[in-house]
Amino acid sequence: MNPILESASNTYGSIFILVAAYGAIKRIRDLFLFGICFFGAGLIIEEGIGYAQDNNIVHLFIIVMFLGQVILTLPINTSFDEKNKAAMALSNRIGCAILVINLFQGYLILSKSLDLPHQFGYMHLVIALIMLYSVLRSGKEKISI
């Protein structure tokens, strides 16, 4: 990987991971969704560059996965509370889906199925931990992020 692109990706990913973590800890839904959404948007761009370089179909699969994540986490102003049981169940399922997507991507990177540095796999695992934290906390307190 190009060293300039790698350091830019590290910085970009780290910033949005920190934003998502801060939003999850402080229970600021818009910051949380903003961090997750833009982390995924950066991955779509990087995978598009990867596909342009080697025409590997795996890049397109990853783009589709993270395109779904970006669409699900767009920080739009939809508010609901614990009284809306359908929205609560749906938000927990979406959180679990994002958790699985990032665990799978982290596994692919760390198992060397993709030719990427390991720090990107660890970034995905941190996003998965943030999602796990928010899903468990929302289930315990009956308040959805």
Side-chain angles (χ1 to χ4, degrees):
M1 180 175 224
N2 183 351
I4 295 172
L5 182 61
E6 183 178 340
S7 61
S9 299
N10 282 332
T11 305
Y12 178 88
S14 298
I15 289 170
F16 288 113
I17 286 172
L18 290 173
V19 168
Y22 180 77
I25 291 169
K26 293 292 185 177
R27 311 279 298 164
I28 304 171
R29 182 178 181 268
D30 289 338
L31 274 180
F32 172 71
L33 291 176
F34 179 81
I36 300 291
C37 180
F38 282 93
F39 178 78
L43 292 169
I44 291 171
I45 294 168
E46 291 171 17
E47 290 298 326
I49 292 170
Y51 180 71
Q53 290 176 347
D54 62 7
N55 288 333
N56 190 349
I57 198 76
V58 173
H59 295 292
L60 293 178
F61 175 70
I62 294 169
I63 288 172
V64 170
M65 274 193 329
F66 284 99
L67 186 61
Q69 176 175 318
V70 166
I71 291 170
L72 290 174
T73 60
L74 282 173
I76 55 175
N77 193 10
T78 55
S79 60
F80 54 87
D81 58 2
E82 67 272 0
K83 294 176 186 171
N84 190 344
K85 300 216 184 282
M88 291 290 293
L90 186 60
S91 69
N92 285 334
R93 288 182 181 161
I94 289 171
C96 289
I98 293 170
L99 174 103
V100 168
I101 287 170
N102 282 287
L103 281 176
F104 179 69
Q105 183 69 10
Y107 169 76
L108 281 179
I109 292 171
L110 293 175
S111 69
K112 299 207 184 243
S113 296
L114 302 175
D115 189 26
L116 292 171
H118 280 177
Q119 69 262 24
F120 296 122
Y122 295 127
M123 285 182 179
H124 286 284
L125 295 179
V126 169
I127 290 288
L129 284 174
I130 293 169
M131 288 306 302
L132 180 64
Y133 171 77
S134 65
V135 168
L136 291 177
R137 188 169 176 184
S138 69
K140 185 170 60 171
E141 295 180 6
K142 302 292 184 194
I143 299 172
S144 176
I145 287 187

